[in-house]
Structure formats: structure tokens, C-alpha cells
Amino acid sequence: MNAGETERRPWIVGVSGASGTPYAAAVLRALLAAGESVDLVVSRASRLTLLDETGIGFRDAHWQDDLREWLGRGADGKPGTFAVDVDAVRHWSPGDLAAGPSSGSYPSKGMLIVPASTACVAGVALGLSKDLLQRAASVVLKERRRLVVAVRETPLNGQTLRHLVTLDDAGATVLPASPAFYAGATHIQDLVDFVAGRVLDAAGVGHTLYRRWEGELGGGSRTT
């Protein structure tokens, strides 16, 4: 690194196979809008979910084009809803266990897993490191960096609840993907953005994705 050059410290974003790829897209867009760098890991299972929910096939060889198309879509699936510059994103293949995020010496601000499947939750809680997503999460925990796990499943059985408690005990923030309605949501994108905003709140990243509670009943129903 040259003198005066700022060290890149990205947020690692892991996308697992749970339903909820619009949540991941909203988080990624907001991170980029906030001027953050992103290291992206899209698991193999999540690529099937992304294909099912959006019709987009995420390919390692064409990840920039596929990511741009994905992030450009709204939660309703309409193409061209958002204009997104993905130059600040670095992509890592989920099978690349020699990737930067697999080492504690690789600089990062932390990791956001959005959405997090129960299989992903179990793998991280048990320290399985079966792919780069799980390995990166284990590294973030051992280095005492921020880990936000946006679990997306219902109902939750006892085994998954125990895994979530394990993650909480290890220092992670367990954040169920549960939209709220007090912010005055009128579109599906509003509900998605609320969850994405709460993920960013937990990470300490500024955003304007939703109307915050200000202690006034009925505030979310007012038109602006």
C-alpha cells in the first residue's frame, strides 16, 4: 500500500439460500449508497433461490452484469427500478476457501448475512466452515467484529433457536427478517427496506430507508 493510500475495509455480505433475496438487494444498494465497500459471497443454494425469485442466474464469470441486473430490480421484480454502480463490490466464489475473507488478517468492518437460512445459522453456530460464507462468518466472530444474522424462517424449531442463542452468546446480532408497519409502508419495497434498514442499524451504517419512530401515534399514516 502506497503512502497516503487508504486501506480498503469492506463489509462482507453473505447471501444464503433462504427466501428473501430482495432483502439482500436492499442492503447492498444501501451500503453502496452510503459509500461503503462490499465483499460479496453468494452461496450456491442462494443462486437457486435468486433464480426462483427473480429469474436471474448469478454466474461467477459474469457476476458484475448479473449483480447489476439484480440490484436494479425492485422488490416487485420490475427491472430498471434502481440505478446502481457496483464498482465498489468485490465478489468471491463460495467455494474459494483461500479467499481474503477466510483469514482474520484480511481487513473488514464485519459481516452481514442477509438472508440467513437455518442451515447457514447451524453451520456458523457449529463452526463448520463448509463454504466461504460460513468460514467468513466464523472469522468475523473470532476477530470480534460485527456479525449481523438476518434469519428468514418461520416457524423456528428448538434446534434452530439453540443455534441462534449460540450466535448471540458469541457476539452476533440475531435479526429476524420481520417487517414492521408503523413506518407507514404502502408498497412491498417499503417492507423490504424496513428490514434492510434494521440490518444497517445493527451494523452502524447510516441510511434513510424507513421512517423512524418518533413517539407520535399515527405518525406512520400521515402522507408526506
Side-chain angles (χ1 to χ4, degrees), residues 128-163:
L128 298 182
S129 295
K130 74 170 188 177
D131 60 10
L132 179 59
L133 194 159
Q134 292 184 14
R135 172 58 186 169
S138 294
V139 167
V140 165
L141 286 176
K142 81 179 182 68
E143 296 295 327
R144 300 298 190 264
R145 298 169 187 162
R146 293 195 187 191
L147 174 63
V148 182
V149 180
V151 61
R152 215 306 307 162
E153 184 59 273
T154 189
L156 297 172
N157 63 25
Q159 187 176 49
T160 298
L161 291 169
R162 285 187 287 273
H163 289 151

PDB file of all heavy atoms in Angstrom, residues 128-163:
ATOM      1  N   LEU A 128     -18.771 -24.984  11.264  1.00  0.00           N
ATOM      2  CA  LEU A 128     -18.495 -25.992  10.248  1.00  0.00           C
ATOM      3  C   LEU A 128     -17.606 -25.483   9.119  1.00  0.00           C
ATOM      4  O   LEU A 128     -16.816 -26.233   8.551  1.00  0.00           O
ATOM      5  CB  LEU A 128     -19.810 -26.520   9.664  1.00  0.00           C
ATOM      6  CG  LEU A 128     -20.755 -27.217  10.644  1.00  0.00           C
ATOM      7  CD1 LEU A 128     -21.987 -27.729   9.915  1.00  0.00           C
ATOM      8  CD2 LEU A 128     -20.049 -28.350  11.378  1.00  0.00           C
ATOM      9  N   SER A 129     -17.737 -24.207   8.750  1.00  0.00           N
ATOM     10  CA  SER A 129     -16.929 -23.610   7.674  1.00  0.00           C
ATOM     11  C   SER A 129     -16.965 -24.459   6.405  1.00  0.00           C
ATOM     12  O   SER A 129     -15.941 -24.688   5.764  1.00  0.00           O
ATOM     13  CB  SER A 129     -15.483 -23.405   8.133  1.00  0.00           C
ATOM     14  OG  SER A 129     -15.406 -22.454   9.170  1.00  0.00           O
ATOM     15  N   LYS A 130     -18.152 -24.906   6.026  1.00  0.00           N
ATOM     16  CA  LYS A 130     -18.247 -25.787   4.858  1.00  0.00           C
ATOM     17  C   LYS A 130     -18.103 -25.029   3.546  1.00  0.00           C
ATOM     18  O   LYS A 130     -17.850 -25.636   2.503  1.00  0.00           O
ATOM     19  CB  LYS A 130     -19.568 -26.555   4.878  1.00  0.00           C
ATOM     20  CG  LYS A 130     -20.785 -25.729   4.524  1.00  0.00           C
ATOM     21  CD  LYS A 130     -22.009 -26.609   4.338  1.00  0.00           C
ATOM     22  CE  LYS A 130     -23.192 -25.809   3.793  1.00  0.00           C
ATOM     23  NZ  LYS A 130     -24.362 -26.666   3.531  1.00  0.00           N
ATOM     24  N   ASP A 131     -18.286 -23.697   3.575  1.00  0.00           N
ATOM     25  CA  ASP A 131     -18.061 -22.880   2.387  1.00  0.00           C
ATOM     26  C   ASP A 131     -17.530 -21.526   2.843  1.00  0.00           C
ATOM     27  O   ASP A 131     -17.341 -21.287   4.041  1.00  0.00           O
ATOM     28  CB  ASP A 131     -19.336 -22.738   1.543  1.00  0.00           C
ATOM     29  CG  ASP A 131     -20.490 -22.073   2.297  1.00  0.00           C
ATOM     30  OD1 ASP A 131     -20.273 -21.546   3.410  1.00  0.00           O
ATOM     31  OD2 ASP A 131     -21.623 -22.074   1.766  1.00  0.00           O
ATOM     32  N   LEU A 132     -17.253 -20.629   1.887  1.00  0.00           N
ATOM     33  CA  LEU A 132     -16.657 -19.351   2.246  1.00  0.00           C
ATOM     34  C   LEU A 132     -17.581 -18.508   3.102  1.00  0.00           C
ATOM     35  O   LEU A 132     -17.113 -17.789   3.996  1.00  0.00           O
ATOM     36  CB  LEU A 132     -16.264 -18.583   0.974  1.00  0.00           C
ATOM     37  CG  LEU A 132     -15.638 -17.208   1.208  1.00  0.00           C
ATOM     38  CD1 LEU A 132     -14.367 -17.309   2.046  1.00  0.00           C
ATOM     39  CD2 LEU A 132     -15.372 -16.512  -0.115  1.00  0.00           C
ATOM     40  N   LEU A 133     -18.884 -18.586   2.872  1.00  0.00           N
ATOM     41  CA  LEU A 133     -19.820 -17.795   3.670  1.00  0.00           C
ATOM     42  C   LEU A 133     -19.695 -18.165   5.150  1.00  0.00           C
ATOM     43  O   LEU A 133     -19.549 -17.294   6.010  1.00  0.00           O
ATOM     44  CB  LEU A 133     -21.241 -18.007   3.156  1.00  0.00           C
ATOM     45  CG  LEU A 133     -22.325 -17.029   3.638  1.00  0.00           C
ATOM     46  CD1 LEU A 133     -23.509 -17.047   2.662  1.00  0.00           C
ATOM     47  CD2 LEU A 133     -22.811 -17.358   5.029  1.00  0.00           C
ATOM     48  N   GLN A 134     -19.745 -19.449   5.437  1.00  0.00           N
ATOM     49  CA  GLN A 134     -19.641 -19.891   6.832  1.00  0.00           C
ATOM     50  C   GLN A 134     -18.259 -19.605   7.406  1.00  0.00           C
ATOM     51  O   GLN A 134     -18.134 -19.186   8.568  1.00  0.00           O
ATOM     52  CB  GLN A 134     -19.958 -21.383   6.937  1.00  0.00           C
ATOM     53  CG  GLN A 134     -21.403 -21.738   6.652  1.00  0.00           C
ATOM     54  CD  GLN A 134     -21.692 -23.211   6.854  1.00  0.00           C
ATOM     55  OE1 GLN A 134     -20.888 -23.946   7.452  1.00  0.00           O
ATOM     56  NE2 GLN A 134     -22.814 -23.676   6.358  1.00  0.00           N
ATOM     57  N   ARG A 135     -17.220 -19.803   6.613  1.00  0.00           N
ATOM     58  CA  ARG A 135     -15.861 -19.550   7.083  1.00  0.00           C
ATOM     59  C   ARG A 135     -15.677 -18.063   7.408  1.00  0.00           C
ATOM     60  O   ARG A 135     -15.111 -17.711   8.442  1.00  0.00           O
ATOM     61  CB  ARG A 135     -14.847 -19.991   6.034  1.00  0.00           C
ATOM     62  CG  ARG A 135     -13.396 -19.595   6.332  1.00  0.00           C
ATOM     63  CD  ARG A 135     -12.916 -20.149   7.656  1.00  0.00           C
ATOM     64  NE  ARG A 135     -11.573 -19.635   7.988  1.00  0.00           N
ATOM     65  CZ  ARG A 135     -10.999 -19.772   9.168  1.00  0.00           C
ATOM     66  NH1 ARG A 135     -11.642 -20.398  10.151  1.00  0.00           N
ATOM     67  NH2 ARG A 135      -9.799 -19.286   9.396  1.00  0.00           N
ATOM     68  N   ALA A 136     -16.168 -17.187   6.524  1.00  0.00           N
ATOM     69  CA  ALA A 136     -16.030 -15.750   6.754  1.00  0.00           C
ATOM     70  C   ALA A 136     -16.750 -15.323   8.026  1.00  0.00           C
ATOM     71  O   ALA A 136     -16.249 -14.493   8.794  1.00  0.00           O
ATOM     72  CB  ALA A 136     -16.571 -14.971   5.548  1.00  0.00           C
ATOM     73  N   ALA A 137     -17.925 -15.907   8.273  1.00  0.00           N
ATOM     74  CA  ALA A 137     -18.666 -15.583   9.491  1.00  0.00           C
ATOM     75  C   ALA A 137     -17.909 -16.039  10.730  1.00  0.00           C
ATOM     76  O   ALA A 137     -17.856 -15.318  11.746  1.00  0.00           O
ATOM     77  CB  ALA A 137     -20.048 -16.227   9.450  1.00  0.00           C
ATOM     78  N   SER A 138     -17.300 -17.213  10.666  1.00  0.00           N
ATOM     79  CA  SER A 138     -16.509 -17.709  11.794  1.00  0.00           C
ATOM     80  C   SER A 138     -15.317 -16.803  12.064  1.00  0.00           C
ATOM     81  O   SER A 138     -14.969 -16.540  13.223  1.00  0.00           O
ATOM     82  CB  SER A 138     -16.025 -19.132  11.518  1.00  0.00           C
ATOM     83  OG  SER A 138     -17.116 -20.045  11.455  1.00  0.00           O
ATOM     84  N   VAL A 139     -14.698 -16.313  10.999  1.00  0.00           N
ATOM     85  CA  VAL A 139     -13.560 -15.410  11.138  1.00  0.00           C
ATOM     86  C   VAL A 139     -13.988 -14.105  11.800  1.00  0.00           C
ATOM     87  O   VAL A 139     -13.324 -13.590  12.707  1.00  0.00           O
ATOM     88  CB  VAL A 139     -12.911 -15.139   9.768  1.00  0.00           C
ATOM     89  CG1 VAL A 139     -11.938 -13.966   9.852  1.00  0.00           C
ATOM     90  CG2 VAL A 139     -12.196 -16.378   9.265  1.00  0.00           C
ATOM     91  N   VAL A 140     -15.117 -13.556  11.350  1.00  0.00           N
ATOM     92  CA  VAL A 140     -15.623 -12.309  11.927  1.00  0.00           C
ATOM     93  C   VAL A 140     -15.883 -12.475  13.421  1.00  0.00           C
ATOM     94  O   VAL A 140     -15.558 -11.592  14.223  1.00  0.00           O
ATOM     95  CB  VAL A 140     -16.896 -11.853  11.173  1.00  0.00           C
ATOM     96  CG1 VAL A 140     -17.652 -10.783  11.951  1.00  0.00           C
ATOM     97  CG2 VAL A 140     -16.531 -11.330   9.791  1.00  0.00           C
ATOM     98  N   LEU A 141     -16.449 -13.606  13.808  1.00  0.00           N
ATOM     99  CA  LEU A 141     -16.710 -13.852  15.227  1.00  0.00           C
ATOM    100  C   LEU A 141     -15.412 -13.958  16.029  1.00  0.00           C
ATOM    101  O   LEU A 141     -15.285 -13.355  17.102  1.00  0.00           O
ATOM    102  CB  LEU A 141     -17.536 -15.126  15.401  1.00  0.00           C
ATOM    103  CG  LEU A 141     -19.016 -15.037  15.034  1.00  0.00           C
ATOM    104  CD1 LEU A 141     -19.664 -16.410  15.165  1.00  0.00           C
ATOM    105  CD2 LEU A 141     -19.742 -14.025  15.909  1.00  0.00           C
ATOM    106  N   LYS A 142     -14.446 -14.691  15.515  1.00  0.00           N
ATOM    107  CA  LYS A 142     -13.211 -14.877  16.277  1.00  0.00           C
ATOM    108  C   LYS A 142     -12.409 -13.587  16.372  1.00  0.00           C
ATOM    109  O   LYS A 142     -11.675 -13.374  17.341  1.00  0.00           O
ATOM    110  CB  LYS A 142     -12.362 -16.003  15.687  1.00  0.00           C
ATOM    111  CG  LYS A 142     -11.520 -15.659  14.485  1.00  0.00           C
ATOM    112  CD  LYS A 142     -10.716 -16.850  14.006  1.00  0.00           C
ATOM    113  CE  LYS A 142      -9.828 -16.510  12.819  1.00  0.00           C
ATOM    114  NZ  LYS A 142      -8.721 -15.591  13.166  1.00  0.00           N
ATOM    115  N   GLU A 143     -12.571 -12.696  15.376  1.00  0.00           N
ATOM    116  CA  GLU A 143     -11.868 -11.419  15.407  1.00  0.00           C
ATOM    117  C   GLU A 143     -12.658 -10.348  16.155  1.00  0.00           C
ATOM    118  O   GLU A 143     -12.227  -9.200  16.225  1.00  0.00           O
ATOM    119  CB  GLU A 143     -11.590 -10.955  13.965  1.00  0.00           C
ATOM    120  CG  GLU A 143     -10.665 -11.867  13.176  1.00  0.00           C
ATOM    121  CD  GLU A 143      -9.257 -11.911  13.735  1.00  0.00           C
ATOM    122  OE1 GLU A 143      -8.797 -10.878  14.258  1.00  0.00           O
ATOM    123  OE2 GLU A 143      -8.625 -12.994  13.656  1.00  0.00           O
ATOM    124  N   ARG A 144     -13.806 -10.716  16.692  1.00  0.00           N
ATOM    125  CA  ARG A 144     -14.655  -9.806  17.477  1.00  0.00           C
ATOM    126  C   ARG A 144     -15.142  -8.618  16.637  1.00  0.00           C
ATOM    127  O   ARG A 144     -15.253  -7.494  17.125  1.00  0.00           O
ATOM    128  CB  ARG A 144     -13.932  -9.305  18.732  1.00  0.00           C
ATOM    129  CG  ARG A 144     -13.497 -10.401  19.694  1.00  0.00           C
ATOM    130  CD  ARG A 144     -14.699 -11.171  20.247  1.00  0.00           C
ATOM    131  NE  ARG A 144     -14.307 -12.063  21.344  1.00  0.00           N
ATOM    132  CZ  ARG A 144     -14.035 -13.366  21.193  1.00  0.00           C
ATOM    133  NH1 ARG A 144     -14.111 -13.910  19.991  1.00  0.00           N
ATOM    134  NH2 ARG A 144     -13.698 -14.106  22.236  1.00  0.00           N
ATOM    135  N   ARG A 145     -15.432  -8.896  15.356  1.00  0.00           N
ATOM    136  CA  ARG A 145     -16.027  -7.881  14.504  1.00  0.00           C
ATOM    137  C   ARG A 145     -17.541  -8.080  14.480  1.00  0.00           C
ATOM    138  O   ARG A 145     -18.059  -9.079  14.949  1.00  0.00           O
ATOM    139  CB  ARG A 145     -15.447  -7.971  13.089  1.00  0.00           C
ATOM    140  CG  ARG A 145     -13.940  -7.725  13.036  1.00  0.00           C
ATOM    141  CD  ARG A 145     -13.356  -8.071  11.691  1.00  0.00           C
ATOM    142  NE  ARG A 145     -11.894  -7.988  11.714  1.00  0.00           N
ATOM    143  CZ  ARG A 145     -11.104  -8.549  10.810  1.00  0.00           C
ATOM    144  NH1 ARG A 145     -11.615  -9.240   9.792  1.00  0.00           N
ATOM    145  NH2 ARG A 145      -9.783  -8.420  10.907  1.00  0.00           N
ATOM    146  N   ARG A 146     -18.244  -7.119  13.922  1.00  0.00           N
ATOM    147  CA  ARG A 146     -19.713  -7.188  13.912  1.00  0.00           C
ATOM    148  C   ARG A 146     -20.202  -8.275  12.950  1.00  0.00           C
ATOM    149  O   ARG A 146     -19.760  -8.354  11.806  1.00  0.00           O
ATOM    150  CB  ARG A 146     -20.320  -5.855  13.498  1.00  0.00           C
ATOM    151  CG  ARG A 146     -20.093  -4.744  14.500  1.00  0.00           C
ATOM    152  CD  ARG A 146     -21.010  -3.570  14.202  1.00  0.00           C
ATOM    153  NE  ARG A 146     -20.678  -2.429  15.064  1.00  0.00           N
ATOM    154  CZ  ARG A 146     -21.425  -1.345  15.175  1.00  0.00           C
ATOM    155  NH1 ARG A 146     -22.532  -1.235  14.469  1.00  0.00           N
ATOM    156  NH2 ARG A 146     -21.064  -0.357  15.960  1.00  0.00           N
ATOM    157  N   LEU A 147     -21.131  -9.075  13.436  1.00  0.00           N
ATOM    158  CA  LEU A 147     -21.815 -10.061  12.601  1.00  0.00           C
ATOM    159  C   LEU A 147     -23.309  -9.894  12.822  1.00  0.00           C
ATOM    160  O   LEU A 147     -23.787 -10.011  13.954  1.00  0.00           O
ATOM    161  CB  LEU A 147     -21.390 -11.487  12.961  1.00  0.00           C
ATOM    162  CG  LEU A 147     -22.152 -12.606  12.232  1.00  0.00           C
ATOM    163  CD1 LEU A 147     -21.905 -12.542  10.726  1.00  0.00           C
ATOM    164  CD2 LEU A 147     -21.768 -13.979  12.783  1.00  0.00           C
ATOM    165  N   VAL A 148     -24.026  -9.608  11.745  1.00  0.00           N
ATOM    166  CA  VAL A 148     -25.481  -9.479  11.799  1.00  0.00           C
ATOM    167  C   VAL A 148     -26.078 -10.622  10.993  1.00  0.00           C
ATOM    168  O   VAL A 148     -25.739 -10.814   9.820  1.00  0.00           O
ATOM    169  CB  VAL A 148     -25.958  -8.124  11.236  1.00  0.00           C
ATOM    170  CG1 VAL A 148     -27.479  -8.007  11.349  1.00  0.00           C
ATOM    171  CG2 VAL A 148     -25.277  -6.971  11.960  1.00  0.00           C
ATOM    172  N   VAL A 149     -26.949 -11.390  11.624  1.00  0.00           N
ATOM    173  CA  VAL A 149     -27.548 -12.575  11.001  1.00  0.00           C
ATOM    174  C   VAL A 149     -29.040 -12.328  10.848  1.00  0.00           C
ATOM    175  O   VAL A 149     -29.793 -12.388  11.826  1.00  0.00           O
ATOM    176  CB  VAL A 149     -27.277 -13.830  11.864  1.00  0.00           C
ATOM    177  CG1 VAL A 149     -27.894 -15.061  11.205  1.00  0.00           C
ATOM    178  CG2 VAL A 149     -25.778 -14.026  12.070  1.00  0.00           C
ATOM    179  N   ALA A 150     -29.475 -12.048   9.631  1.00  0.00           N
ATOM    180  CA  ALA A 150     -30.885 -11.767   9.354  1.00  0.00           C
ATOM    181  C   ALA A 150     -31.583 -13.079   8.996  1.00  0.00           C
ATOM    182  O   ALA A 150     -31.767 -13.410   7.816  1.00  0.00           O
ATOM    183  CB  ALA A 150     -31.026 -10.750   8.233  1.00  0.00           C
ATOM    184  N   VAL A 151     -31.965 -13.817  10.030  1.00  0.00           N
ATOM    185  CA  VAL A 151     -32.560 -15.133   9.824  1.00  0.00           C
ATOM    186  C   VAL A 151     -33.946 -14.987   9.201  1.00  0.00           C
ATOM    187  O   VAL A 151     -34.736 -14.135   9.593  1.00  0.00           O
ATOM    188  CB  VAL A 151     -32.612 -15.920  11.149  1.00  0.00           C
ATOM    189  CG1 VAL A 151     -33.450 -15.211  12.203  1.00  0.00           C
ATOM    190  CG2 VAL A 151     -33.127 -17.331  10.927  1.00  0.00           C
ATOM    191  N   ARG A 152     -34.226 -15.847   8.206  1.00  0.00           N
ATOM    192  CA  ARG A 152     -35.504 -15.767   7.494  1.00  0.00           C
ATOM    193  C   ARG A 152     -36.111 -17.168   7.453  1.00  0.00           C
ATOM    194  O   ARG A 152     -35.851 -17.950   6.540  1.00  0.00           O
ATOM    195  CB  ARG A 152     -35.259 -15.225   6.076  1.00  0.00           C
ATOM    196  CG  ARG A 152     -36.342 -14.317   5.483  1.00  0.00           C
ATOM    197  CD  ARG A 152     -37.735 -14.891   5.467  1.00  0.00           C
ATOM    198  NE  ARG A 152     -37.794 -16.203   4.836  1.00  0.00           N
ATOM    199  CZ  ARG A 152     -38.784 -17.036   4.987  1.00  0.00           C
ATOM    200  NH1 ARG A 152     -39.813 -16.760   5.764  1.00  0.00           N
ATOM    201  NH2 ARG A 152     -38.762 -18.212   4.384  1.00  0.00           N
ATOM    202  N   GLU A 153     -36.906 -17.459   8.466  1.00  0.00           N
ATOM    203  CA  GLU A 153     -37.589 -18.756   8.548  1.00  0.00           C
ATOM    204  C   GLU A 153     -38.722 -18.636   9.543  1.00  0.00           C
ATOM    205  O   GLU A 153     -38.662 -17.833  10.482  1.00  0.00           O
ATOM    206  CB  GLU A 153     -36.609 -19.848   8.983  1.00  0.00           C
ATOM    207  CG  GLU A 153     -37.201 -21.251   8.996  1.00  0.00           C
ATOM    208  CD  GLU A 153     -37.713 -21.677   7.641  1.00  0.00           C
ATOM    209  OE1 GLU A 153     -38.896 -21.360   7.343  1.00  0.00           O
ATOM    210  OE2 GLU A 153     -36.954 -22.309   6.887  1.00  0.00           O
ATOM    211  N   THR A 154     -39.775 -19.405   9.329  1.00  0.00           N
ATOM    212  CA  THR A 154     -40.874 -19.473  10.295  1.00  0.00           C
ATOM    213  C   THR A 154     -41.677 -20.739  10.037  1.00  0.00           C
ATOM    214  O   THR A 154     -41.872 -21.108   8.871  1.00  0.00           O
ATOM    215  CB  THR A 154     -41.781 -18.220  10.192  1.00  0.00           C
ATOM    216  OG1 THR A 154     -42.711 -18.197  11.263  1.00  0.00           O
ATOM    217  CG2 THR A 154     -42.546 -18.172   8.868  1.00  0.00           C
ATOM    218  N   PRO A 155     -42.100 -21.442  11.089  1.00  0.00           N
ATOM    219  CA  PRO A 155     -41.725 -21.255  12.490  1.00  0.00           C
ATOM    220  C   PRO A 155     -40.295 -21.729  12.741  1.00  0.00           C
ATOM    221  O   PRO A 155     -39.687 -22.367  11.886  1.00  0.00           O
ATOM    222  CB  PRO A 155     -42.738 -22.124  13.235  1.00  0.00           C
ATOM    223  CG  PRO A 155     -43.068 -23.214  12.264  1.00  0.00           C
ATOM    224  CD  PRO A 155     -43.041 -22.586  10.900  1.00  0.00           C
ATOM    225  N   LEU A 156     -39.794 -21.428  13.918  1.00  0.00           N
ATOM    226  CA  LEU A 156     -38.454 -21.841  14.307  1.00  0.00           C
ATOM    227  C   LEU A 156     -38.550 -22.992  15.302  1.00  0.00           C
ATOM    228  O   LEU A 156     -39.283 -22.912  16.284  1.00  0.00           O
ATOM    229  CB  LEU A 156     -37.701 -20.677  14.953  1.00  0.00           C
ATOM    230  CG  LEU A 156     -37.436 -19.463  14.049  1.00  0.00           C
ATOM    231  CD1 LEU A 156     -36.857 -18.316  14.866  1.00  0.00           C
ATOM    232  CD2 LEU A 156     -36.504 -19.834  12.914  1.00  0.00           C
ATOM    233  N   ASN A 157     -37.804 -24.068  15.041  1.00  0.00           N
ATOM    234  CA  ASN A 157     -37.827 -25.186  15.988  1.00  0.00           C
ATOM    235  C   ASN A 157     -36.770 -24.989  17.073  1.00  0.00           C
ATOM    236  O   ASN A 157     -35.953 -24.061  17.019  1.00  0.00           O
ATOM    237  CB  ASN A 157     -37.653 -26.527  15.262  1.00  0.00           C
ATOM    238  CG  ASN A 157     -36.314 -26.652  14.556  1.00  0.00           C
ATOM    239  OD1 ASN A 157     -35.342 -26.010  14.933  1.00  0.00           O
ATOM    240  ND2 ASN A 157     -36.260 -27.493  13.528  1.00  0.00           N
ATOM    241  N   GLY A 158     -36.786 -25.862  18.054  1.00  0.00           N
ATOM    242  CA  GLY A 158     -35.888 -25.719  19.189  1.00  0.00           C
ATOM    243  C   GLY A 158     -34.426 -25.758  18.800  1.00  0.00           C
ATOM    244  O   GLY A 158     -33.603 -25.032  19.370  1.00  0.00           O
ATOM    245  N   GLN A 159     -34.091 -26.609  17.841  1.00  0.00           N
ATOM    246  CA  GLN A 159     -32.696 -26.725  17.433  1.00  0.00           C
ATOM    247  C   GLN A 159     -32.181 -25.412  16.856  1.00  0.00           C
ATOM    248  O   GLN A 159     -31.091 -24.939  17.205  1.00  0.00           O
ATOM    249  CB  GLN A 159     -32.550 -27.847  16.409  1.00  0.00           C
ATOM    250  CG  GLN A 159     -31.108 -28.166  16.032  1.00  0.00           C
ATOM    251  CD  GLN A 159     -31.028 -29.342  15.086  1.00  0.00           C
ATOM    252  OE1 GLN A 159     -31.742 -29.392  14.081  1.00  0.00           O
ATOM    253  NE2 GLN A 159     -30.171 -30.304  15.399  1.00  0.00           N
ATOM    254  N   THR A 160     -32.976 -24.802  15.972  1.00  0.00           N
ATOM    255  CA  THR A 160     -32.565 -23.520  15.390  1.00  0.00           C
ATOM    256  C   THR A 160     -32.494 -22.436  16.456  1.00  0.00           C
ATOM    257  O   THR A 160     -31.573 -21.604  16.459  1.00  0.00           O
ATOM    258  CB  THR A 160     -33.543 -23.103  14.284  1.00  0.00           C
ATOM    259  OG1 THR A 160     -33.515 -24.079  13.229  1.00  0.00           O
ATOM    260  CG2 THR A 160     -33.177 -21.745  13.704  1.00  0.00           C
ATOM    261  N   LEU A 161     -33.443 -22.427  17.383  1.00  0.00           N
ATOM    262  CA  LEU A 161     -33.412 -21.441  18.466  1.00  0.00           C
ATOM    263  C   LEU A 161     -32.141 -21.584  19.293  1.00  0.00           C
ATOM    264  O   LEU A 161     -31.529 -20.578  19.701  1.00  0.00           O
ATOM    265  CB  LEU A 161     -34.642 -21.585  19.350  1.00  0.00           C
ATOM    266  CG  LEU A 161     -35.973 -21.168  18.696  1.00  0.00           C
ATOM    267  CD1 LEU A 161     -37.144 -21.603  19.567  1.00  0.00           C
ATOM    268  CD2 LEU A 161     -36.001 -19.666  18.471  1.00  0.00           C
ATOM    269  N   ARG A 162     -31.726 -22.817  19.541  1.00  0.00           N
ATOM    270  CA  ARG A 162     -30.478 -23.022  20.298  1.00  0.00           C
ATOM    271  C   ARG A 162     -29.273 -22.518  19.512  1.00  0.00           C
ATOM    272  O   ARG A 162     -28.335 -21.939  20.087  1.00  0.00           O
ATOM    273  CB  ARG A 162     -30.324 -24.498  20.660  1.00  0.00           C
ATOM    274  CG  ARG A 162     -31.258 -24.931  21.803  1.00  0.00           C
ATOM    275  CD  ARG A 162     -30.970 -26.343  22.252  1.00  0.00           C
ATOM    276  NE  ARG A 162     -31.431 -27.333  21.288  1.00  0.00           N
ATOM    277  CZ  ARG A 162     -32.659 -27.847  21.263  1.00  0.00           C
ATOM    278  NH1 ARG A 162     -33.559 -27.463  22.154  1.00  0.00           N
ATOM    279  NH2 ARG A 162     -32.991 -28.753  20.365  1.00  0.00           N
ATOM    280  N   HIS A 163     -29.294 -22.733  18.193  1.00  0.00           N
ATOM    281  CA  HIS A 163     -28.197 -22.223  17.361  1.00  0.00           C
ATOM    282  C   HIS A 163     -28.164 -20.691  17.388  1.00  0.00           C
ATOM    283  O   HIS A 163     -27.079 -20.084  17.422  1.00  0.00           O
ATOM    284  CB  HIS A 163     -28.362 -22.700  15.913  1.00  0.00           C
ATOM    285  CG  HIS A 163     -28.097 -24.155  15.731  1.00  0.00           C
ATOM    286  ND1 HIS A 163     -28.698 -24.912  14.740  1.00  0.00           N
ATOM    287  CD2 HIS A 163     -27.296 -25.019  16.418  1.00  0.00           C
ATOM    288  CE1 HIS A 163     -28.280 -26.158  14.819  1.00  0.00           C
ATOM    289  NE2 HIS A 163     -27.428 -26.254  15.827  1.00  0.00           N
TER     290      HIS A 163
END
